[in-house]
Amino acid sequence: MGAAPASRDVTSYGMGLAAPLALFFLIFFVAPLLQLLWLSLHNDTAGLHWGLGQYLHFLTDPFSLSVLGSTLLLGAEVTAVCLALGFPIAWLYQRVGPKLQTIIILIVLLPLLTSVVVRTFAWIVILGRQGIINATLQSLGIIDTPLKLLYTQFGVVIALAQVQMPLMTLPLITALGRIDPNLDDASCSLGAGSWRTFFRIVLPLSLPGVIAGCTLTYAAAITAFITQSLIGGGQMLFMPMYLYQQASTLQNWPFASAISIIFLLAVLAVVSVFTTLGRLSRGYGGA
Amino acid sequence: MAGRKRTLESFSFELVMTVIALIALVIIISPSLVVLIVSFTSGFSLRFPPPGYSLRWYAELWDAWQLHFAAKNSLIVALWATGLSVVLGVAAALAISRSPTLSARLLDSLFMSPLVLPALAFGLAALMLFSLVGLPVSPLTLVIGHTVVCVPYVVRNTVAALAQLEPTLLESSAVLGASRLYTFRRIVLPLIRPGIIAGAFIAFMSSFDNVPVSLFLRDAATDMLPIRMWQDLEGKLDVTIAALSGVLIIATVALVAVMERVTGLSRRLTN
């Protein structure tokens, strides 16, 4: 590391400084994941018989497949809600003065740093039988009996969307800030309306931010164990809880490992699809 | 904006966008406000609006020794994990930030991967490795596991701060005869310190709030606060948890305000 040419020496540090963390990750991150993979390829708990039994079990079991499917669908729904709500926030942010900008950022940031258990608990208070929504609707005479909001797909999606909103909004704010405001004005002065300008100019140019936000939101939503289990209740099962039940309650480590690997691959597949789209959109946005 | 024709069409666009943005901001902020209000209830349920207001549940919190114990454990683990993350993460960030090599980029992806991979899968994997090598779960295994999932925040924020650093500053310092260590202490460190602090802050918060890794890597004697709260919520809806949530929300707001002053947190996360 000390052998680098003198001209580069002063502004960059040797790669050796990364060695402690690299070693730490090798032992405590890479090795565990490899062991997870190793155990998932065994048919018995002791890890003596190699085989694809765990994966075959998962992939031929309609129940397991439905858990995977509903988890992936949940992520898509949450991401869509976050995008639809987060984009206008980022748009508004670019329109207001610095004081309001700071307020908007802090409003967006606060949930990110507030405990997930606390945020989820808040949604139980809001969505419950005696919660705000039901109490309001009943006092207005719109409904007679409380609506079932907790332990429903709707409840899980709205709570997760709120919990993950910062992950979508922050990259969007960054992306919109990079667009030349003159483009907006030019489009309008050339006769395109605001809606058309938005869909033809602003949205395409902000695609890198959209994709970054979608990646983070999706990955966070499908792995959000606490919110999924507390708002979804015992009736709705998603991959993280399925994994936890198999590993902890049933002590079926090989099957839990296979679930983990399948889940990891699903997340990686989604992330790499988004990354590829991001690379394509950057070429488009830069044109 | 200036000189644009105020047509009905552009008005409709701005109205729709503003209304959705305001609704979204209300959705983001209201859960915290609701919990704060409910935590001051004088009643026994989480009904909203509360029948009356009192500090009784905060007083109740004073005697909740189980929660105190769990909070203490979470705090200790978070402090150790943050310390370890800063030492390992800042060193790694210095190495990879200005290097264009493939190995630097690969290391960067490796160090960031805990952010997207399911933490629960990592928790299970780490537990299996520890049991294979015969290391029983303990506060030590918790600190190790938390460090893996928290170090990315330190690396990311330090790399971002280093990217803003003018290389000419380092060159001038070297030309004037300062040693590398001296330059690091007197020039680099003061300039990237806000970035390191911001990263450490986020790492600390995410460790304090971690459930998926703690679930697998804690021993029976080490109760962690978010897990305690989660299990309490699964069982019954206790108003004490609302008071505890109130404390956590107020603490978070205070810490964020301090961090905004010290590090300009909001600018840091949108650049």
Side-chain angles (χ1 to χ4, degrees):
Chain A
M1 52 185 196
S7 58
R8 276 195 51 208
D9 218 15
V10 288
T11 56
S12 70
Y13 295 86
M15 289 300 282
L17 279 173
L21 186 57
L23 195 65
F24 188 84
F25 261 56
L26 218 54
I27 299 172
F28 297 117
F29 183 66
V30 178
L33 292 180
L34 287 178
Q35 209 217 333
L36 192 77
L37 182 65
W38 180 83
L39 190 62
S40 76
L41 292 169
H42 287 78
N43 292 339
D44 60 321
T45 323
L48 297 173
H49 305 285
W50 287 88
L52 290 170
Q54 310 297 346
Y55 292 95
L56 283 175
H57 176 198
F58 188 98
L59 295 172
T60 54
D61 174 28
F63 178 73
S64 300
L65 287 176
S66 78
V67 172
L68 178 63
S70 57
T71 309
L72 298 178
L73 179 68
L74 177 72
E77 289 174 352
V78 172
T79 308
V81 173
C82 280
L83 185 60
L85 293 177
F87 209 104
I89 296 180
W91 175 87
L92 187 68
Y93 177 86
Q94 303 299 342
R95 300 258 150 169
V96 298
K99 270 255 167 62
L100 280 175
Q101 283 194 332
T102 310
I103 293 176
I104 292 179
I105 284 286
L106 290 180
I107 289 179
V108 171
L109 209 57
L110 215 51
L112 189 65
L113 296 166
T114 310
S115 161
V116 171
V117 185
V118 172
R119 282 184 277 166
T120 305
F121 169 61
W123 282 101
I124 297 177
V125 177
I126 294 172
L127 299 172
R129 285 181 69 84
Q130 297 190 338
I132 299 167
I133 296 181
N134 274 321
T136 313
L137 291 178
Q138 274 178 311
S139 66
L140 292 174
I142 297 173
I143 52 167
D144 294 328
T145 49
L147 294 175
K148 188 172 183 251
L149 300 168
L150 213 52
Y151 313 132
T152 62
Q153 180 84 5
F154 168 80
V156 178
V157 170
I158 188 78
L160 271 178
Q162 188 262 340
V163 171
Q164 316 298 356
M165 189 80 81
L167 298 177
M168 178 66 88
T169 315
L170 293 174
L172 285 177
I173 287 177
T174 310
L176 285 182
R178 291 199 179 131
I179 298 176
D180 187 349
N182 290 324
L183 286 174
D184 207 12
D185 288 340
S187 167
C188 284
S189 61
L190 288 172
S194 294
W195 288 100
R196 189 149 170 231
T197 303
F198 177 75
F199 284 109
R200 300 295 293 270
I201 309 284
V202 179
L203 199 58
L205 285 178
S206 64
L207 268 183
V210 172
I211 287 158
C214 287
T215 314
L216 292 170
T217 313
Y218 193 92
I222 62 174
T223 56
F225 176 54
I226 296 289
T227 313
Q228 288 171 1
S229 73
L230 282 178
I231 306 287
Q235 303 297 312
M236 300 172 71
L237 191 60
F238 299 102
M239 286 295 271
M241 192 56 174
Y242 191 37
L243 192 175
Y244 181 66
Q245 283 178 349
Q246 293 294 328
S248 199
T249 319
L250 302 172
Q251 293 285 322
N252 189 351
W253 283 11
F255 189 51
S257 303
I259 296 176
S260 302
I261 297 292
I262 290 168
F263 193 34
L264 278 172
L265 289 178
V267 175
L268 281 180
V270 171
V271 169
S272 47
V273 166
F274 278 127
T275 314
T276 312
L277 286 174
R279 212 165 287 144
L280 292 174
S281 77
R282 220 165 293 147
Y284 179 45
Chain B
M1 284 273 289
R4 178 183 295 173
K5 266 187 260 164
R6 283 264 156 194
T7 59
L8 187 67
E9 194 265 352
S10 88
F11 178 73
S12 73
F13 172 75
E14 304 207 338
L15 184 72
V16 168
M17 290 297 266
T18 309
V19 167
I20 299 178
L22 292 179
I23 291 173
L25 288 172
V26 168
I27 291 179
I28 291 177
I29 199 77
S30 55
S32 302
L33 294 179
V34 166
V35 166
L36 268 183
I37 294 168
V38 165
S39 70
F40 291 106
T41 186
S42 60
F44 283 94
S45 74
L46 296 165
R47 183 186 286 275
F48 189 95
Y53 295 92
S54 78
L55 286 172
R56 63 185 292 186
W57 297 106
Y58 284 89
E60 199 92 350
L61 203 54
W62 198 256
D63 300 322
W65 63 268
Q66 275 187 317
L67 292 176
H68 293 190
F69 176 65
K72 201 184 90 193
N73 287 334
S74 285
L75 204 60
I76 292 172
V77 169
L79 285 173
W80 277 103
T82 306
L84 201 55
S85 295
V86 168
V87 173
L88 294 172
V90 171
L94 285 170
I96 61 176
S97 70
R98 289 187 178 273
S99 173
T101 57
L102 181 66
S103 61
R105 277 189 293 137
L106 286 178
L107 281 177
D108 189 42
S109 314
L110 173 67
F111 297 152
M112 288 304 132
S113 50
L115 285 184
V116 279
L117 296 184
L120 210 57
F122 164 68
L124 172 65
L127 171 66
M128 294 195 311
L129 185 84
F130 288 136
S131 67
L132 186 77
V133 298
L135 189 65
V137 285
S138 67
L140 174 70
T141 56
L142 272 172
V143 170
I144 291 173
H146 279 217
T147 303
V148 168
V149 292
C150 294
V151 86
Y153 300 108
V154 177
V155 173
R156 195 171 56 181
N157 281 282
T158 311
V159 164
L162 281 165
Q164 309 261 322
L165 201 68
E166 284 289 332
T168 43
L169 282 177
L170 307 185
E171 282 159 5
S172 326
S173 179
V175 167
L176 292 171
S179 73
R180 297 195 56 174
L181 193 63
Y182 188 81
T183 307
F184 176 74
R185 271 201 311 129
R186 299 302 296 268
I187 308 226
V188 178
L189 197 56
L191 286 172
I192 65 170
R193 188 177 291 137
I196 297 174
I197 295 174
F201 171 63
I202 300 174
F204 175 84
M205 297 302 270
S206 83
S207 164
F208 190 77
D209 190 36
N210 184 288
V211 172
V213 175
S214 300
L215 265 181
F216 286 110
L217 297 185
R218 74 188 171 126
D219 56 308
T222 316
D223 205 0
M224 304 292 280
L225 189 63
I227 295 181
R228 176 85 259 150
M229 290 174 76
W230 174 52
Q231 285 170 346
D232 282 0
L233 287 179
E234 292 249 281
K236 58 189 163 38
L237 284 182
D238 189 344
V239 191
T240 321
I241 297 296
L244 178 57
S245 300
V247 171
L248 290 179
I249 289 170
I250 292 165
T252 307
V253 171
L255 282 174
V256 168
V258 171
M259 281 299 142
E260 180 67 19
R261 274 284 156 83
V262 177
T263 72
L265 196 64
S266 60
R267 299 268 163 247
R268 216 160 272 288
L269 292 174
T270 50
N271 280 324

